[in-house]
Short mmCIF file of all heavy atoms in Angstrom, two decimals:
data_model
loop_
_atom_site.label_atom_id
_atom_site.label_comp_id
_atom_site.label_asym_id
_atom_site.label_seq_id
_atom_site.Cartn_x
_atom_site.Cartn_y
_atom_site.Cartn_z
N PHE E 50 11.61 11.30 6.69
CA PHE E 50 10.18 11.46 6.96
C PHE E 50 9.99 12.72 7.81
O PHE E 50 10.34 12.76 8.98
CB PHE E 50 9.67 10.22 7.69
CG PHE E 50 8.17 10.21 7.87
CD1 PHE E 50 7.31 10.39 6.81
CD2 PHE E 50 7.62 9.98 9.13
CE1 PHE E 50 5.93 10.35 6.97
CE2 PHE E 50 6.25 9.94 9.31
CZ PHE E 50 5.40 10.13 8.23
N ASP E 51 9.42 13.76 7.19
CA ASP E 51 9.32 15.07 7.85
C ASP E 51 7.94 15.65 7.56
O ASP E 51 7.55 15.81 6.40
CB ASP E 51 10.40 16.00 7.31
CG ASP E 51 10.47 17.33 8.08
OD1 ASP E 51 9.74 17.47 9.07
OD2 ASP E 51 11.25 18.20 7.66
N ASN E 52 7.21 15.99 8.62
CA ASN E 52 5.83 16.47 8.46
C ASN E 52 5.66 17.90 8.98
O ASN E 52 4.60 18.25 9.52
CB ASN E 52 4.88 15.53 9.18
CG ASN E 52 4.82 14.17 8.53
OD1 ASN E 52 4.20 14.00 7.49
ND2 ASN E 52 5.48 13.19 9.13
N VAL E 53 6.68 18.73 8.78
CA VAL E 53 6.57 20.12 9.21
C VAL E 53 5.41 20.82 8.50
O VAL E 53 4.79 21.74 9.04
CB VAL E 53 7.90 20.86 8.99
CG1 VAL E 53 8.22 20.99 7.51
CG2 VAL E 53 7.86 22.24 9.64
N TRP E 54 5.08 20.38 7.27
CA TRP E 54 3.97 21.00 6.55
C TRP E 54 2.64 20.76 7.23
O TRP E 54 1.69 21.51 7.03
CB TRP E 54 3.93 20.51 5.10
CG TRP E 54 4.88 21.26 4.22
CD1 TRP E 54 6.04 20.82 3.68
CD2 TRP E 54 4.75 22.62 3.80
NE1 TRP E 54 6.66 21.80 2.95
CE2 TRP E 54 5.87 22.92 3.01
CE3 TRP E 54 3.79 23.60 4.01
CZ2 TRP E 54 6.07 24.18 2.42
CZ3 TRP E 54 3.99 24.85 3.44
CH2 TRP E 54 5.10 25.13 2.65
N LYS E 55 2.56 19.73 8.05
CA LYS E 55 1.32 19.48 8.79
C LYS E 55 1.03 20.65 9.74
O LYS E 55 -0.14 21.05 9.91
CB LYS E 55 1.45 18.18 9.59
CG LYS E 55 0.24 17.82 10.45
CD LYS E 55 -0.99 17.55 9.61
CE LYS E 55 -2.04 16.75 10.37
NZ LYS E 55 -2.45 17.30 11.66
N ASP E 56 2.05 21.22 10.35
CA ASP E 56 1.85 22.38 11.23
C ASP E 56 1.29 23.56 10.45
O ASP E 56 0.38 24.26 10.92
CB ASP E 56 3.18 22.79 11.89
CG ASP E 56 3.72 21.72 12.81
OD1 ASP E 56 2.95 20.84 13.23
OD2 ASP E 56 4.94 21.76 13.11
N PHE E 57 1.82 23.79 9.26
CA PHE E 57 1.38 24.93 8.46
C PHE E 57 -0.04 24.72 7.91
O PHE E 57 -0.84 25.66 7.89
CB PHE E 57 2.35 25.18 7.31
CG PHE E 57 3.64 25.81 7.74
CD1 PHE E 57 4.77 25.05 7.98
CD2 PHE E 57 3.72 27.19 7.92
CE1 PHE E 57 5.95 25.64 8.39
CE2 PHE E 57 4.90 27.79 8.32
CZ PHE E 57 6.02 27.02 8.57
N THR E 58 -0.35 23.51 7.45
CA THR E 58 -1.70 23.27 6.94
C THR E 58 -2.74 23.33 8.06
O THR E 58 -3.83 23.87 7.88
CB THR E 58 -1.78 21.93 6.19
OG1 THR E 58 -1.28 20.88 7.04
CG2 THR E 58 -0.96 21.98 4.91
N ASP E 59 -2.39 22.80 9.22
CA ASP E 59 -3.31 22.90 10.36
C ASP E 59 -3.59 24.36 10.71
O ASP E 59 -4.71 24.72 11.08
CB ASP E 59 -2.71 22.21 11.59
CG ASP E 59 -2.78 20.68 11.50
OD1 ASP E 59 -3.40 20.17 10.55
OD2 ASP E 59 -2.19 20.02 12.38
N LEU E 60 -2.57 25.20 10.59
CA LEU E 60 -2.71 26.61 10.94
C LEU E 60 -3.85 27.27 10.17
O LEU E 60 -4.61 28.08 10.72
CB LEU E 60 -1.40 27.35 10.66
CG LEU E 60 -1.37 28.86 10.92
CD1 LEU E 60 -1.49 29.14 12.42
CD2 LEU E 60 -0.11 29.49 10.36
N LEU E 61 -4.00 26.91 8.89
CA LEU E 61 -5.00 27.55 8.04
C LEU E 61 -6.20 26.66 7.76
O LEU E 61 -7.02 26.96 6.89
CB LEU E 61 -4.36 27.97 6.72
CG LEU E 61 -3.27 29.03 6.82
CD1 LEU E 61 -2.75 29.40 5.43
CD2 LEU E 61 -3.76 30.28 7.54
N GLY E 62 -6.33 25.55 8.49
CA GLY E 62 -7.48 24.68 8.30
C GLY E 62 -7.44 23.91 6.99
O GLY E 62 -8.49 23.53 6.45
N MET E 63 -6.26 23.67 6.45
CA MET E 63 -6.10 22.88 5.23
C MET E 63 -5.93 21.41 5.60
O MET E 63 -5.58 21.06 6.72
CB MET E 63 -4.87 23.35 4.45
CG MET E 63 -4.94 24.77 3.94
SD MET E 63 -3.37 25.25 3.17
CE MET E 63 -3.78 26.88 2.54
N ARG E 64 -6.16 20.54 4.64
CA ARG E 64 -5.93 19.11 4.83
C ARG E 64 -4.51 18.75 4.38
O ARG E 64 -3.99 19.34 3.44
CB ARG E 64 -6.95 18.29 4.02
CG ARG E 64 -8.37 18.31 4.58
CD ARG E 64 -9.39 18.01 3.50
NE ARG E 64 -9.46 19.13 2.55
CZ ARG E 64 -10.04 19.03 1.36
NH1 ARG E 64 -10.54 17.88 0.95
NH2 ARG E 64 -10.08 20.08 0.55
N TYR E 65 -3.94 17.76 5.05
CA TYR E 65 -2.56 17.35 4.77
C TYR E 65 -2.49 15.83 4.64
O TYR E 65 -3.00 15.10 5.50
CB TYR E 65 -1.64 17.80 5.89
CG TYR E 65 -0.23 17.25 5.80
CD1 TYR E 65 0.72 17.86 4.99
CD2 TYR E 65 0.14 16.11 6.51
CE1 TYR E 65 2.01 17.35 4.91
CE2 TYR E 65 1.43 15.60 6.43
CZ TYR E 65 2.36 16.22 5.62
OH TYR E 65 3.64 15.72 5.54
N GLY E 66 -1.88 15.39 3.57
CA GLY E 66 -1.64 13.97 3.40
C GLY E 66 -0.22 13.72 2.94
O GLY E 66 0.51 14.64 2.57
N PHE E 67 0.20 12.45 2.97
CA PHE E 67 1.55 12.12 2.52
C PHE E 67 1.57 10.73 1.91
O PHE E 67 0.69 9.89 2.16
CB PHE E 67 2.56 12.22 3.66
CG PHE E 67 2.32 11.26 4.81
CD1 PHE E 67 2.76 9.96 4.75
CD2 PHE E 67 1.64 11.69 5.93
CE1 PHE E 67 2.53 9.08 5.81
CE2 PHE E 67 1.40 10.83 7.00
CZ PHE E 67 1.85 9.52 6.94
N VAL E 68 2.59 10.50 1.08
CA VAL E 68 2.86 9.20 0.48
C VAL E 68 4.34 8.93 0.64
O VAL E 68 5.17 9.78 0.28
CB VAL E 68 2.49 9.17 -1.02
CG1 VAL E 68 2.72 7.77 -1.58
CG2 VAL E 68 1.05 9.60 -1.24
N LEU E 69 4.70 7.77 1.16
CA LEU E 69 6.11 7.40 1.32
C LEU E 69 6.62 6.71 0.07
O LEU E 69 5.92 5.89 -0.54
CB LEU E 69 6.27 6.45 2.50
CG LEU E 69 6.68 7.03 3.85
CD1 LEU E 69 8.08 7.60 3.82
CD2 LEU E 69 5.69 8.05 4.34
N GLY E 70 7.83 7.03 -0.32
CA GLY E 70 8.49 6.34 -1.41
C GLY E 70 9.43 5.27 -0.90
O GLY E 70 9.51 5.01 0.31
N GLU E 71 10.16 4.66 -1.81
CA GLU E 71 11.15 3.65 -1.46
C GLU E 71 12.44 3.92 -2.23
O GLU E 71 12.39 4.35 -3.39
CB GLU E 71 10.64 2.24 -1.78
CG GLU E 71 9.46 1.82 -0.91
CD GLU E 71 9.09 0.37 -1.13
OE1 GLU E 71 9.19 -0.10 -2.29
OE2 GLU E 71 8.69 -0.29 -0.16
N GLY E 72 13.57 3.70 -1.58
CA GLY E 72 14.84 3.93 -2.25
C GLY E 72 15.93 4.30 -1.27
O GLY E 72 15.86 3.99 -0.08
N GLY E 73 16.92 5.03 -1.78
CA GLY E 73 18.08 5.38 -0.98
C GLY E 73 17.93 6.72 -0.27
O GLY E 73 16.86 7.32 -0.26
N ARG E 74 19.02 7.22 0.27
CA ARG E 74 18.99 8.45 1.05
C ARG E 74 18.90 9.70 0.17
O ARG E 74 18.40 10.73 0.62
CB ARG E 74 20.24 8.54 1.94
CG ARG E 74 20.28 7.44 3.00
CD ARG E 74 21.53 7.53 3.86
NE ARG E 74 21.57 6.46 4.84
CZ ARG E 74 21.00 6.50 6.04
NH1 ARG E 74 20.33 7.58 6.40
NH2 ARG E 74 21.10 5.49 6.87
N ASP E 75 19.39 9.63 -1.05
CA ASP E 75 19.38 10.80 -1.91
C ASP E 75 18.40 10.69 -3.08
O ASP E 75 18.02 11.70 -3.67
CB ASP E 75 20.79 11.06 -2.48
CG ASP E 75 21.80 11.40 -1.41
OD1 ASP E 75 21.38 11.98 -0.38
OD2 ASP E 75 22.98 11.08 -1.59
N SER E 76 18.01 9.49 -3.43
CA SER E 76 17.17 9.27 -4.60
C SER E 76 16.17 8.16 -4.30
O SER E 76 16.52 7.16 -3.67
CB SER E 76 18.06 8.88 -5.79
OG SER E 76 17.30 8.71 -6.96
N PHE E 77 14.94 8.33 -4.74
CA PHE E 77 13.90 7.35 -4.41
C PHE E 77 12.82 7.37 -5.48
O PHE E 77 12.78 8.23 -6.35
CB PHE E 77 13.31 7.64 -3.03
CG PHE E 77 12.45 8.88 -2.96
CD1 PHE E 77 11.07 8.78 -2.89
CD2 PHE E 77 13.02 10.16 -2.98
CE1 PHE E 77 10.26 9.92 -2.84
CE2 PHE E 77 12.22 11.29 -2.93
CZ PHE E 77 10.84 11.18 -2.86
N ARG E 78 11.91 6.40 -5.40
CA ARG E 78 10.76 6.30 -6.29
C ARG E 78 9.50 6.22 -5.44
O ARG E 78 9.54 5.80 -4.29
CB ARG E 78 10.85 5.06 -7.18
CG ARG E 78 12.06 5.05 -8.10
CD ARG E 78 12.09 3.78 -8.93
NE ARG E 78 10.97 3.71 -9.88
CZ ARG E 78 10.97 4.27 -11.08
NH1 ARG E 78 12.04 4.97 -11.48
NH2 ARG E 78 9.94 4.16 -11.88
N VAL E 79 8.39 6.64 -6.05
CA VAL E 79 7.11 6.55 -5.36
C VAL E 79 6.16 5.73 -6.22
O VAL E 79 6.24 5.75 -7.47
CB VAL E 79 6.52 7.95 -5.09
CG1 VAL E 79 6.09 8.64 -6.38
CG2 VAL E 79 5.36 7.89 -4.11
N ASP E 80 5.30 4.97 -5.58
CA ASP E 80 4.28 4.20 -6.29
C ASP E 80 3.21 5.18 -6.77
O ASP E 80 2.51 5.78 -5.96
CB ASP E 80 3.70 3.16 -5.34
CG ASP E 80 2.77 2.18 -6.06
OD1 ASP E 80 2.05 2.61 -6.98
OD2 ASP E 80 2.76 1.00 -5.68
#
């Protein structure tokens, strides 16, 4: 879970959202 993009989107007044998936450390699925 990493939100470094939130810093970059905030910089330019962009909106930022995220969706968490489920699975293992290397491979996962998202709803």
Side-chain angles (χ1 to χ4, degrees):
F50 187 52
D51 187 5
N52 293 284
V53 66
W54 278 108
K55 178 64 161 53
D56 296 341
F57 285 97
T58 53
D59 285 353
L60 178 68
L61 296 182
M63 297 175 175
R64 287 156 291 165
Y65 171 83
F67 62 83
V68 183
L69 264 294
E71 293 187 324
R74 295 180 181 274
D75 296 330
S76 182
F77 71 105
R78 299 179 66 85
V79 69
D80 188 324

